[in-house]
Amino acid sequence: MSALRAAAVLLLSLIVPTCTGEGGNCSCDISNSRCDEFGVCRCDPGWDGERCDRCALTPGCVHGSCEQPWQCTCASGWAGRFCDKDLSICSRQQPCHNGATCVMEDSGDFSCLCPEGFHGPTCQRRTGPCYLNRSPCKNGGQCEDGDGFAAELTCRCLAGFTGRRCETDVDDCTMKPCANGATCLDGVNRFSCVCPAGFSGRFCTVNLDDCASRPCLNGGRCLDRAGGFRCVCRPSFTGAACETPLRGREPGWTTLGWDGGGTSERSAAPTSSGGNSSRHGDRLLKVTVSERRGGLSEPQLIVLLVLAAVTLGAVVLTAALVLQGHCRNCGHAPCWTSLTSSRRSRQRAQECHISFLNAAEPEKKKLNVV
């Protein structure tokens, strides 16, 4: 470790100005710095340089110098806190317009003495309609007259206002931004929507979940709707919230239908013989008929048609085979080849019928003999 320390001290002595010792033997400016144990100058705040003999300027100082830290002493021809104001601006740049006189001030700024009929920081504005009429624009509108050189003034309105003098508030509800029957309230360059029950959001487009509070009773299923809900009740309950049991109805009436939505349509008719109610002893039995509508779907209809076609084909084929067998027994050609003539068909049918009867008589005789 001692060898490493000695090497570090030797390297620093070659690169950085060293101190020859303590007190008066140190080469650093002892009033602005000190020597550390390695002989390196450590500057006080506000001083800089190898020997800590250079003061630091005020941050932002442009044309200045210092004798003490954080000073900004302006050079000749410059003024201001940061020495950034040119004292010869009136003679070199002539910033004043329309024949105005430029005057330098002690702070380093300049001012313009405007001639009659002109005004403004550099006398660039003419005494025009806006200056004479004291800006007739309303609702914060800006008066413009081309720096006084225009014959007539105009008003540049703020957002939300219109008109020659910005006197008219724009109706922000013209485009009907509120949805679902909400009420639009016009404001200054804005609008607001008063949403109906069941909706929220800036434009009333968010449908609130009316089933969040679980309004359906007795195991009913809640269906959320736009601005409301619908309860699908169990078969034994009815009502808007499925709160009414069906057994609480008057005896002697029949329920002919149930829409399953918390409400039921009831068609009542007095019970009579042959109706939907009957008596067992002295008790009246109530019958609830659920009316359901149904029909064949398209795939079922196609299958039915295919089966009907297959059945019809089988019937036709069977009839043709039977007819061909009878015709062969008669000793004639197949029957379908002779169907071109209706007369021949009738004759052959009669012959086949007679031959069939003649063939049947010996059988009857045999049976009688036996």
Side-chain angles (χ1 to χ4, degrees):
M1 291 297 295
S2 59
L4 277 172
R5 186 172 181 181
V9 171
L10 180 60
L11 182 61
L12 289 173
S13 64
L14 295 175
I15 298 175
V16 182
T18 57
C19 300
T20 57
E22 298 294 336
N25 295 327
C26 183
S27 62
C28 300
D29 189 344
I30 59 174
S31 61
N32 305 325
S33 62
R34 62 179 182 83
C35 289
D36 61 6
E37 57 183 353
F38 301 106
V40 180
C41 295
R42 301 299 181 183
C43 302
D44 294 339
W47 295 95
D48 197 4
E50 294 181 355
R51 303 180 186 277
C52 303
D53 55 355
R54 186 172 67 247
C55 60
L57 292 172
T58 300
C61 184
V62 181
H63 302 283
S65 59
C66 66
E67 294 181 357
Q68 294 295 327
W70 321 124
Q71 287 183 344
C72 186
T73 303
C74 296
S76 177
W78 296 94
R81 180 181 178 184
F82 302 102
C83 301
D84 56 346
K85 299 184 183 298
D86 189 2
L87 296 178
S88 60
I89 188 173
C90 288
S91 59
R92 291 191 301 105
Q93 298 184 9
Q94 296 181 358
C96 301
H97 302 284
N98 298 311
T101 303
C102 182
V103 178
M104 289 300 304
E105 298 179 359
D106 295 337
S107 62
D109 295 322
F110 70 93
S111 61
C112 296
L113 301 179
C114 301
E116 186 178 357
F118 295 92
H119 66 284
T122 58
C123 303
Q124 79 279 9
R125 295 179 178 274
R126 187 178 179 182
T127 305
C130 287
Y131 185 82
L132 296 175
N133 296 331
R134 299 293 180 182
S135 183
C137 303
K138 299 180 180 179
N139 298 311
Q142 183 178 356
C143 183
E144 295 180 342
D145 58 1
D147 289 339
F149 293 92
E152 295 182 0
L153 61 88
T154 57
C155 293
R156 185 167 63 181
C157 305
L158 295 176
F161 294 96
T162 186
R164 185 179 179 184
R165 296 292 181 262
C166 307
E167 71 279 4
T168 304
D169 180 17
V170 176
D171 187 3
D172 300 289
C173 294
T174 304
M175 301 302 294
K176 297 181 179 180
C178 303
N180 297 309
T183 302
C184 182
L185 300 179
D186 181 39
V188 179
N189 194 32
R190 60 172 299 173
F191 66 90
S192 58
C193 297
V194 180
C195 302
F199 294 94
S200 65
R202 182 182 178 186
F203 304 101
C204 301
T205 55
V206 180
N207 181 23
L208 297 177
D209 187 5
D210 298 289
C211 293
S213 60
R214 298 181 179 178
C216 301
L217 306 176
N218 299 309
R221 184 164 58 93
C222 182
L223 301 178
D224 183 35
R225 288 183 170 181
F229 66 92
R230 178 171 177 260
C231 290
V232 179
C233 303
R234 297 173 62 186
S236 56
F237 294 93
T238 185
C242 306
E243 72 281 3
T244 306
L246 289 177
R247 60 177 177 273
R249 295 185 176 181
E250 299 175 0
W253 301 81
T254 58
T255 300
L256 300 181
W258 174 66
D259 61 356
T263 58
S264 61
E265 296 177 0
R266 181 174 65 178
S267 175
T271 57
S272 60
S273 60
N276 289 332
S277 61
S278 61
R279 291 184 178 274
H280 182 72
D282 294 332
R283 293 181 300 173
L284 182 64
L285 299 179
K286 295 184 297 179
V287 179
T288 300
V289 180
S290 178
E291 186 175 328
R292 297 181 181 177
R293 297 179 180 178
L296 294 177
S297 61
E298 185 176 353
Q300 293 175 341
L301 184 60
I302 293 175
V303 172
L304 184 62
L305 291 176
V306 171
L307 292 176
V310 171
T311 303
L312 182 60
V315 171
V316 172
L317 182 61
T318 303
L321 293 176
V322 172
L323 183 59
Q324 181 180 6
H326 284 297
C327 291
R328 285 181 179 177
N329 293 333
C330 295
H332 296 283
C335 295
W336 58 78
T337 59
S338 61
L339 292 178
T340 56
S341 174
S342 59
R343 185 176 179 181
R344 293 178 180 178
S345 299
R346 288 196 297 269
Q347 291 177 354
R348 291 181 179 179
Q350 292 176 359
E351 293 175 357
C352 291
H353 181 66
I354 294 171
S355 63
F356 178 75
L357 292 176
N358 294 333
E361 287 183 358
E363 295 295 331
K364 290 181 179 180
K365 291 180 180 181
K366 291 180 181 180
L367 292 174
N368 293 329
V369 171
V370 175

PDB file of all heavy atoms in Angstrom, residues 124-160:
ATOM      1  N   GLN A 124     -44.536  52.037 -33.827  1.00  0.00           N
ATOM      2  CA  GLN A 124     -44.890  51.355 -35.069  1.00  0.00           C
ATOM      3  C   GLN A 124     -46.377  51.397 -35.357  1.00  0.00           C
ATOM      4  O   GLN A 124     -46.801  51.093 -36.481  1.00  0.00           O
ATOM      5  CB  GLN A 124     -44.415  49.898 -35.024  1.00  0.00           C
ATOM      6  CG  GLN A 124     -45.289  48.942 -34.230  1.00  0.00           C
ATOM      7  CD  GLN A 124     -45.036  49.009 -32.727  1.00  0.00           C
ATOM      8  OE1 GLN A 124     -44.309  49.901 -32.247  1.00  0.00           O
ATOM      9  NE2 GLN A 124     -45.628  48.095 -31.987  1.00  0.00           N
ATOM     10  N   ARG A 125     -47.190  51.764 -34.377  1.00  0.00           N
ATOM     11  CA  ARG A 125     -48.635  51.780 -34.547  1.00  0.00           C
ATOM     12  C   ARG A 125     -49.133  53.203 -34.821  1.00  0.00           C
ATOM     13  O   ARG A 125     -48.688  54.159 -34.185  1.00  0.00           O
ATOM     14  CB  ARG A 125     -49.337  51.233 -33.301  1.00  0.00           C
ATOM     15  CG  ARG A 125     -49.056  49.773 -33.037  1.00  0.00           C
ATOM     16  CD  ARG A 125     -49.769  49.313 -31.775  1.00  0.00           C
ATOM     17  NE  ARG A 125     -49.567  47.911 -31.512  1.00  0.00           N
ATOM     18  CZ  ARG A 125     -50.295  46.931 -32.015  1.00  0.00           C
ATOM     19  NH1 ARG A 125     -51.309  47.229 -32.814  1.00  0.00           N
ATOM     20  NH2 ARG A 125     -50.029  45.679 -31.724  1.00  0.00           N
ATOM     21  N   ARG A 126     -50.080  53.247 -35.736  1.00  0.00           N
ATOM     22  CA  ARG A 126     -50.704  54.521 -36.046  1.00  0.00           C
ATOM     23  C   ARG A 126     -51.972  54.670 -35.221  1.00  0.00           C
ATOM     24  O   ARG A 126     -52.596  53.695 -34.818  1.00  0.00           O
ATOM     25  CB  ARG A 126     -51.030  54.578 -37.542  1.00  0.00           C
ATOM     26  CG  ARG A 126     -51.546  55.927 -38.025  1.00  0.00           C
ATOM     27  CD  ARG A 126     -51.795  55.877 -39.520  1.00  0.00           C
ATOM     28  NE  ARG A 126     -52.314  57.133 -40.007  1.00  0.00           N
ATOM     29  CZ  ARG A 126     -52.659  57.375 -41.264  1.00  0.00           C
ATOM     30  NH1 ARG A 126     -52.523  56.388 -42.169  1.00  0.00           N
ATOM     31  NH2 ARG A 126     -53.126  58.548 -41.636  1.00  0.00           N
ATOM     32  N   THR A 127     -52.360  55.886 -34.968  1.00  0.00           N
ATOM     33  CA  THR A 127     -53.579  56.135 -34.204  1.00  0.00           C
ATOM     34  C   THR A 127     -54.764  55.859 -35.126  1.00  0.00           C
ATOM     35  O   THR A 127     -55.267  56.742 -35.819  1.00  0.00           O
ATOM     36  CB  THR A 127     -53.610  57.582 -33.684  1.00  0.00           C
ATOM     37  OG1 THR A 127     -52.429  57.842 -32.947  1.00  0.00           O
ATOM     38  CG2 THR A 127     -54.827  57.813 -32.798  1.00  0.00           C
ATOM     39  N   GLY A 128     -55.187  54.581 -35.155  1.00  0.00           N
ATOM     40  CA  GLY A 128     -56.238  54.140 -36.059  1.00  0.00           C
ATOM     41  C   GLY A 128     -57.545  53.901 -35.346  1.00  0.00           C
ATOM     42  O   GLY A 128     -57.762  54.340 -34.207  1.00  0.00           O
ATOM     43  N   PRO A 129     -58.478  53.182 -35.999  1.00  0.00           N
ATOM     44  CA  PRO A 129     -59.808  52.957 -35.421  1.00  0.00           C
ATOM     45  C   PRO A 129     -59.778  52.266 -34.064  1.00  0.00           C
ATOM     46  O   PRO A 129     -60.569  52.601 -33.181  1.00  0.00           O
ATOM     47  CB  PRO A 129     -60.507  52.102 -36.482  1.00  0.00           C
ATOM     48  CG  PRO A 129     -59.782  52.370 -37.743  1.00  0.00           C
ATOM     49  CD  PRO A 129     -58.359  52.622 -37.347  1.00  0.00           C
ATOM     50  N   CYS A 130     -58.915  51.249 -33.881  1.00  0.00           N
ATOM     51  CA  CYS A 130     -58.881  50.544 -32.589  1.00  0.00           C
ATOM     52  C   CYS A 130     -58.461  51.481 -31.455  1.00  0.00           C
ATOM     53  O   CYS A 130     -58.999  51.413 -30.343  1.00  0.00           O
ATOM     54  CB  CYS A 130     -57.923  49.352 -32.681  1.00  0.00           C
ATOM     55  SG  CYS A 130     -58.549  47.968 -33.669  1.00  0.00           S
ATOM     56  N   TYR A 131     -57.474  52.356 -31.720  1.00  0.00           N
ATOM     57  CA  TYR A 131     -56.997  53.270 -30.684  1.00  0.00           C
ATOM     58  C   TYR A 131     -58.033  54.348 -30.397  1.00  0.00           C
ATOM     59  O   TYR A 131     -58.254  54.722 -29.234  1.00  0.00           O
ATOM     60  CB  TYR A 131     -55.674  53.901 -31.129  1.00  0.00           C
ATOM     61  CG  TYR A 131     -55.023  54.772 -30.092  1.00  0.00           C
ATOM     62  CD1 TYR A 131     -54.258  54.213 -29.082  1.00  0.00           C
ATOM     63  CD2 TYR A 131     -55.180  56.154 -30.124  1.00  0.00           C
ATOM     64  CE1 TYR A 131     -53.652  55.020 -28.130  1.00  0.00           C
ATOM     65  CE2 TYR A 131     -54.592  56.966 -29.173  1.00  0.00           C
ATOM     66  CZ  TYR A 131     -53.828  56.393 -28.179  1.00  0.00           C
ATOM     67  OH  TYR A 131     -53.243  57.195 -27.226  1.00  0.00           O
ATOM     68  N   LEU A 132     -58.703  54.832 -31.424  1.00  0.00           N
ATOM     69  CA  LEU A 132     -59.686  55.902 -31.241  1.00  0.00           C
ATOM     70  C   LEU A 132     -60.969  55.380 -30.614  1.00  0.00           C
ATOM     71  O   LEU A 132     -61.589  56.076 -29.794  1.00  0.00           O
ATOM     72  CB  LEU A 132     -59.990  56.564 -32.594  1.00  0.00           C
ATOM     73  CG  LEU A 132     -58.815  57.296 -33.260  1.00  0.00           C
ATOM     74  CD1 LEU A 132     -59.210  57.792 -34.640  1.00  0.00           C
ATOM     75  CD2 LEU A 132     -58.339  58.461 -32.394  1.00  0.00           C
ATOM     76  N   ASN A 133     -61.401  54.173 -30.964  1.00  0.00           N
ATOM     77  CA  ASN A 133     -62.676  53.628 -30.468  1.00  0.00           C
ATOM     78  C   ASN A 133     -62.518  52.795 -29.204  1.00  0.00           C
ATOM     79  O   ASN A 133     -63.490  52.211 -28.733  1.00  0.00           O
ATOM     80  CB  ASN A 133     -63.327  52.773 -31.555  1.00  0.00           C
ATOM     81  CG  ASN A 133     -63.697  53.586 -32.779  1.00  0.00           C
ATOM     82  OD1 ASN A 133     -63.980  54.784 -32.677  1.00  0.00           O
ATOM     83  ND2 ASN A 133     -63.673  52.944 -33.943  1.00  0.00           N
ATOM     84  N   ARG A 134     -61.331  52.676 -28.693  1.00  0.00           N
ATOM     85  CA  ARG A 134     -61.080  51.941 -27.448  1.00  0.00           C
ATOM     86  C   ARG A 134     -61.545  50.487 -27.548  1.00  0.00           C
ATOM     87  O   ARG A 134     -62.196  49.972 -26.650  1.00  0.00           O
ATOM     88  CB  ARG A 134     -61.780  52.626 -26.267  1.00  0.00           C
ATOM     89  CG  ARG A 134     -61.318  54.036 -26.004  1.00  0.00           C
ATOM     90  CD  ARG A 134     -59.886  54.088 -25.533  1.00  0.00           C
ATOM     91  NE  ARG A 134     -59.457  55.461 -25.274  1.00  0.00           N
ATOM     92  CZ  ARG A 134     -58.234  55.804 -24.888  1.00  0.00           C
ATOM     93  NH1 ARG A 134     -57.315  54.853 -24.753  1.00  0.00           N
ATOM     94  NH2 ARG A 134     -57.920  57.064 -24.673  1.00  0.00           N
ATOM     95  N   SER A 135     -61.241  49.830 -28.631  1.00  0.00           N
ATOM     96  CA  SER A 135     -61.525  48.405 -28.847  1.00  0.00           C
ATOM     97  C   SER A 135     -62.991  48.079 -28.566  1.00  0.00           C
ATOM     98  O   SER A 135     -63.350  47.667 -27.457  1.00  0.00           O
ATOM     99  CB  SER A 135     -60.639  47.530 -27.972  1.00  0.00           C
ATOM    100  OG  SER A 135     -60.877  46.160 -28.253  1.00  0.00           O
ATOM    101  N   PRO A 136     -63.857  48.201 -29.558  1.00  0.00           N
ATOM    102  CA  PRO A 136     -65.282  47.887 -29.364  1.00  0.00           C
ATOM    103  C   PRO A 136     -65.579  46.391 -29.332  1.00  0.00           C
ATOM    104  O   PRO A 136     -66.742  45.999 -29.206  1.00  0.00           O
ATOM    105  CB  PRO A 136     -65.937  48.536 -30.590  1.00  0.00           C
ATOM    106  CG  PRO A 136     -64.894  48.478 -31.640  1.00  0.00           C
ATOM    107  CD  PRO A 136     -63.575  48.645 -30.929  1.00  0.00           C
ATOM    108  N   CYS A 137     -64.581  45.554 -29.465  1.00  0.00           N
ATOM    109  CA  CYS A 137     -64.806  44.100 -29.477  1.00  0.00           C
ATOM    110  C   CYS A 137     -65.218  43.620 -28.090  1.00  0.00           C
ATOM    111  O   CYS A 137     -64.638  44.025 -27.071  1.00  0.00           O
ATOM    112  CB  CYS A 137     -63.540  43.372 -29.932  1.00  0.00           C
ATOM    113  SG  CYS A 137     -62.949  43.906 -31.549  1.00  0.00           S
ATOM    114  N   LYS A 138     -66.211  42.712 -28.044  1.00  0.00           N
ATOM    115  CA  LYS A 138     -66.751  42.208 -26.783  1.00  0.00           C
ATOM    116  C   LYS A 138     -66.239  40.788 -26.508  1.00  0.00           C
ATOM    117  O   LYS A 138     -65.670  40.140 -27.377  1.00  0.00           O
ATOM    118  CB  LYS A 138     -68.277  42.211 -26.829  1.00  0.00           C
ATOM    119  CG  LYS A 138     -68.876  43.596 -27.034  1.00  0.00           C
ATOM    120  CD  LYS A 138     -70.386  43.529 -27.082  1.00  0.00           C
ATOM    121  CE  LYS A 138     -70.983  44.918 -27.297  1.00  0.00           C
ATOM    122  NZ  LYS A 138     -72.460  44.864 -27.360  1.00  0.00           N
ATOM    123  N   ASN A 139     -66.486  40.360 -25.264  1.00  0.00           N
ATOM    124  CA  ASN A 139     -66.157  38.990 -24.832  1.00  0.00           C
ATOM    125  C   ASN A 139     -64.699  38.622 -25.082  1.00  0.00           C
ATOM    126  O   ASN A 139     -64.386  37.495 -25.480  1.00  0.00           O
ATOM    127  CB  ASN A 139     -67.079  37.980 -25.527  1.00  0.00           C
ATOM    128  CG  ASN A 139     -68.541  38.184 -25.189  1.00  0.00           C
ATOM    129  OD1 ASN A 139     -68.908  38.302 -24.021  1.00  0.00           O
ATOM    130  ND2 ASN A 139     -69.393  38.246 -26.204  1.00  0.00           N
ATOM    131  N   GLY A 140     -63.804  39.591 -24.834  1.00  0.00           N
ATOM    132  CA  GLY A 140     -62.387  39.318 -24.949  1.00  0.00           C
ATOM    133  C   GLY A 140     -61.850  39.296 -26.357  1.00  0.00           C
ATOM    134  O   GLY A 140     -60.704  38.870 -26.566  1.00  0.00           O
ATOM    135  N   GLY A 141     -62.636  39.759 -27.343  1.00  0.00           N
ATOM    136  CA  GLY A 141     -62.159  39.795 -28.709  1.00  0.00           C
ATOM    137  C   GLY A 141     -61.048  40.822 -28.898  1.00  0.00           C
ATOM    138  O   GLY A 141     -61.012  41.858 -28.214  1.00  0.00           O
ATOM    139  N   GLN A 142     -60.133  40.556 -29.825  1.00  0.00           N
ATOM    140  CA  GLN A 142     -58.996  41.443 -30.071  1.00  0.00           C
ATOM    141  C   GLN A 142     -59.282  42.332 -31.278  1.00  0.00           C
ATOM    142  O   GLN A 142     -59.658  41.861 -32.350  1.00  0.00           O
ATOM    143  CB  GLN A 142     -57.728  40.619 -30.318  1.00  0.00           C
ATOM    144  CG  GLN A 142     -56.485  41.468 -30.524  1.00  0.00           C
ATOM    145  CD  GLN A 142     -55.250  40.620 -30.724  1.00  0.00           C
ATOM    146  OE1 GLN A 142     -55.316  39.391 -30.633  1.00  0.00           O
ATOM    147  NE2 GLN A 142     -54.117  41.266 -30.993  1.00  0.00           N
ATOM    148  N   CYS A 143     -59.075  43.645 -31.074  1.00  0.00           N
ATOM    149  CA  CYS A 143     -59.304  44.616 -32.138  1.00  0.00           C
ATOM    150  C   CYS A 143     -58.084  44.669 -33.060  1.00  0.00           C
ATOM    151  O   CYS A 143     -56.947  44.760 -32.594  1.00  0.00           O
ATOM    152  CB  CYS A 143     -59.584  45.995 -31.534  1.00  0.00           C
ATOM    153  SG  CYS A 143     -59.971  47.265 -32.755  1.00  0.00           S
ATOM    154  N   GLU A 144     -58.327  44.614 -34.360  1.00  0.00           N
ATOM    155  CA  GLU A 144     -57.258  44.642 -35.342  1.00  0.00           C
ATOM    156  C   GLU A 144     -57.574  45.692 -36.402  1.00  0.00           C
ATOM    157  O   GLU A 144     -58.696  45.732 -36.937  1.00  0.00           O
ATOM    158  CB  GLU A 144     -57.089  43.265 -35.999  1.00  0.00           C
ATOM    159  CG  GLU A 144     -56.639  42.183 -35.028  1.00  0.00           C
ATOM    160  CD  GLU A 144     -56.470  40.835 -35.709  1.00  0.00           C
ATOM    161  OE1 GLU A 144     -57.023  40.679 -36.818  1.00  0.00           O
ATOM    162  OE2 GLU A 144     -55.802  39.959 -35.143  1.00  0.00           O
ATOM    163  N   ASP A 145     -56.597  46.553 -36.676  1.00  0.00           N
ATOM    164  CA  ASP A 145     -56.771  47.582 -37.711  1.00  0.00           C
ATOM    165  C   ASP A 145     -55.505  47.772 -38.538  1.00  0.00           C
ATOM    166  O   ASP A 145     -55.265  48.856 -39.080  1.00  0.00           O
ATOM    167  CB  ASP A 145     -57.185  48.913 -37.089  1.00  0.00           C
ATOM    168  CG  ASP A 145     -56.186  49.426 -36.060  1.00  0.00           C
ATOM    169  OD1 ASP A 145     -55.160  48.747 -35.839  1.00  0.00           O
ATOM    170  OD2 ASP A 145     -56.413  50.496 -35.481  1.00  0.00           O
ATOM    171  N   GLY A 146     -54.700  46.682 -38.646  1.00  0.00           N
ATOM    172  CA  GLY A 146     -53.473  46.785 -39.425  1.00  0.00           C
ATOM    173  C   GLY A 146     -52.497  47.798 -38.859  1.00  0.00           C
ATOM    174  O   GLY A 146     -51.920  48.602 -39.630  1.00  0.00           O
ATOM    175  N   ASP A 147     -52.307  47.751 -37.501  1.00  0.00           N
ATOM    176  CA  ASP A 147     -51.428  48.711 -36.811  1.00  0.00           C
ATOM    177  C   ASP A 147     -51.864  50.148 -37.048  1.00  0.00           C
ATOM    178  O   ASP A 147     -51.047  51.094 -37.048  1.00  0.00           O
ATOM    179  CB  ASP A 147     -49.973  48.539 -37.248  1.00  0.00           C
ATOM    180  CG  ASP A 147     -49.360  47.259 -36.707  1.00  0.00           C
ATOM    181  OD1 ASP A 147     -49.888  46.725 -35.707  1.00  0.00           O
ATOM    182  OD2 ASP A 147     -48.372  46.785 -37.282  1.00  0.00           O
ATOM    183  N   GLY A 148     -53.186  50.339 -37.224  1.00  0.00           N
ATOM    184  CA  GLY A 148     -53.721  51.680 -37.392  1.00  0.00           C
ATOM    185  C   GLY A 148     -53.774  52.162 -38.821  1.00  0.00           C
ATOM    186  O   GLY A 148     -54.337  53.230 -39.090  1.00  0.00           O
ATOM    187  N   PHE A 149     -53.247  51.402 -39.742  1.00  0.00           N
ATOM    188  CA  PHE A 149     -53.211  51.828 -41.137  1.00  0.00           C
ATOM    189  C   PHE A 149     -54.440  51.354 -41.917  1.00  0.00           C
ATOM    190  O   PHE A 149     -54.615  51.760 -43.070  1.00  0.00           O
ATOM    191  CB  PHE A 149     -51.929  51.325 -41.815  1.00  0.00           C
ATOM    192  CG  PHE A 149     -50.690  51.958 -41.268  1.00  0.00           C
ATOM    193  CD1 PHE A 149     -49.989  51.373 -40.225  1.00  0.00           C
ATOM    194  CD2 PHE A 149     -50.226  53.158 -41.787  1.00  0.00           C
ATOM    195  CE1 PHE A 149     -48.848  51.957 -39.718  1.00  0.00           C
ATOM    196  CE2 PHE A 149     -49.078  53.745 -41.279  1.00  0.00           C
ATOM    197  CZ  PHE A 149     -48.385  53.154 -40.242  1.00  0.00           C
ATOM    198  N   ALA A 150     -55.290  50.479 -41.338  1.00  0.00           N
ATOM    199  CA  ALA A 150     -56.500  50.016 -42.017  1.00  0.00           C
ATOM    200  C   ALA A 150     -57.607  51.048 -41.877  1.00  0.00           C
ATOM    201  O   ALA A 150     -57.689  51.783 -40.883  1.00  0.00           O
ATOM    202  CB  ALA A 150     -56.948  48.674 -41.441  1.00  0.00           C
ATOM    203  N   ALA A 151     -58.484  51.089 -42.899  1.00  0.00           N
ATOM    204  CA  ALA A 151     -59.582  52.059 -42.865  1.00  0.00           C
ATOM    205  C   ALA A 151     -60.632  51.678 -41.835  1.00  0.00           C
ATOM    206  O   ALA A 151     -61.232  52.552 -41.188  1.00  0.00           O
ATOM    207  CB  ALA A 151     -60.210  52.170 -44.256  1.00  0.00           C
ATOM    208  N   GLU A 152     -60.899  50.356 -41.634  1.00  0.00           N
ATOM    209  CA  GLU A 152     -61.889  49.878 -40.677  1.00  0.00           C
ATOM    210  C   GLU A 152     -61.267  48.807 -39.792  1.00  0.00           C
ATOM    211  O   GLU A 152     -60.347  48.102 -40.209  1.00  0.00           O
ATOM    212  CB  GLU A 152     -63.108  49.300 -41.398  1.00  0.00           C
ATOM    213  CG  GLU A 152     -63.889  50.329 -42.208  1.00  0.00           C
ATOM    214  CD  GLU A 152     -65.106  49.707 -42.870  1.00  0.00           C
ATOM    215  OE1 GLU A 152     -65.300  48.493 -42.680  1.00  0.00           O
ATOM    216  OE2 GLU A 152     -65.839  50.438 -43.561  1.00  0.00           O
ATOM    217  N   LEU A 153     -61.796  48.725 -38.608  1.00  0.00           N
ATOM    218  CA  LEU A 153     -61.287  47.728 -37.666  1.00  0.00           C
ATOM    219  C   LEU A 153     -62.052  46.414 -37.814  1.00  0.00           C
ATOM    220  O   LEU A 153     -63.169  46.374 -38.310  1.00  0.00           O
ATOM    221  CB  LEU A 153     -61.393  48.248 -36.231  1.00  0.00           C
ATOM    222  CG  LEU A 153     -62.803  48.573 -35.695  1.00  0.00           C
ATOM    223  CD1 LEU A 153     -63.461  47.355 -35.067  1.00  0.00           C
ATOM    224  CD2 LEU A 153     -62.722  49.691 -34.671  1.00  0.00           C
ATOM    225  N   THR A 154     -61.452  45.338 -37.372  1.00  0.00           N
ATOM    226  CA  THR A 154     -62.087  44.023 -37.296  1.00  0.00           C
ATOM    227  C   THR A 154     -61.817  43.422 -35.925  1.00  0.00           C
ATOM    228  O   THR A 154     -60.862  43.822 -35.236  1.00  0.00           O
ATOM    229  CB  THR A 154     -61.543  43.071 -38.385  1.00  0.00           C
ATOM    230  OG1 THR A 154     -60.116  42.965 -38.239  1.00  0.00           O
ATOM    231  CG2 THR A 154     -61.894  43.582 -39.773  1.00  0.00           C
ATOM    232  N   CYS A 155     -62.654  42.470 -35.546  1.00  0.00           N
ATOM    233  CA  CYS A 155     -62.519  41.817 -34.241  1.00  0.00           C
ATOM    234  C   CYS A 155     -62.169  40.345 -34.437  1.00  0.00           C
ATOM    235  O   CYS A 155     -62.859  39.629 -35.168  1.00  0.00           O
ATOM    236  CB  CYS A 155     -63.811  41.941 -33.439  1.00  0.00           C
ATOM    237  SG  CYS A 155     -64.212  43.644 -32.944  1.00  0.00           S
ATOM    238  N   ARG A 156     -61.108  39.908 -33.786  1.00  0.00           N
ATOM    239  CA  ARG A 156     -60.737  38.487 -33.770  1.00  0.00           C
ATOM    240  C   ARG A 156     -61.274  37.887 -32.480  1.00  0.00           C
ATOM    241  O   ARG A 156     -60.773  38.180 -31.384  1.00  0.00           O
ATOM    242  CB  ARG A 156     -59.234  38.303 -33.888  1.00  0.00           C
ATOM    243  CG  ARG A 156     -58.822  36.859 -34.001  1.00  0.00           C
ATOM    244  CD  ARG A 156     -57.369  36.727 -34.426  1.00  0.00           C
ATOM    245  NE  ARG A 156     -56.465  37.292 -33.437  1.00  0.00           N
ATOM    246  CZ  ARG A 156     -55.145  37.327 -33.576  1.00  0.00           C
ATOM    247  NH1 ARG A 156     -54.600  36.853 -34.683  1.00  0.00           N
ATOM    248  NH2 ARG A 156     -54.389  37.859 -32.634  1.00  0.00           N
ATOM    249  N   CYS A 157     -62.291  37.040 -32.627  1.00  0.00           N
ATOM    250  CA  CYS A 157     -63.033  36.544 -31.467  1.00  0.00           C
ATOM    251  C   CYS A 157     -62.334  35.359 -30.816  1.00  0.00           C
ATOM    252  O   CYS A 157     -61.611  34.598 -31.467  1.00  0.00           O
ATOM    253  CB  CYS A 157     -64.453  36.142 -31.883  1.00  0.00           C
ATOM    254  SG  CYS A 157     -65.382  37.445 -32.716  1.00  0.00           S
ATOM    255  N   LEU A 158     -62.593  35.208 -29.524  1.00  0.00           N
ATOM    256  CA  LEU A 158     -62.159  34.017 -28.810  1.00  0.00           C
ATOM    257  C   LEU A 158     -63.027  32.834 -29.208  1.00  0.00           C
ATOM    258  O   LEU A 158     -64.118  32.991 -29.751  1.00  0.00           O
ATOM    259  CB  LEU A 158     -62.246  34.255 -27.294  1.00  0.00           C
ATOM    260  CG  LEU A 158     -61.312  35.308 -26.704  1.00  0.00           C
ATOM    261  CD1 LEU A 158     -61.592  35.480 -25.218  1.00  0.00           C
ATOM    262  CD2 LEU A 158     -59.854  34.938 -26.923  1.00  0.00           C
ATOM    263  N   ALA A 159     -62.535  31.635 -28.916  1.00  0.00           N
ATOM    264  CA  ALA A 159     -63.302  30.427 -29.232  1.00  0.00           C
ATOM    265  C   ALA A 159     -64.614  30.428 -28.461  1.00  0.00           C
ATOM    266  O   ALA A 159     -64.644  30.703 -27.260  1.00  0.00           O
ATOM    267  CB  ALA A 159     -62.487  29.183 -28.887  1.00  0.00           C
ATOM    268  N   GLY A 160     -65.708  30.136 -29.166  1.00  0.00           N
ATOM    269  CA  GLY A 160     -67.017  30.100 -28.536  1.00  0.00           C
ATOM    270  C   GLY A 160     -67.854  31.325 -28.817  1.00  0.00           C
ATOM    271  O   GLY A 160     -69.021  31.369 -28.401  1.00  0.00           O
TER     272      GLY A 160
END
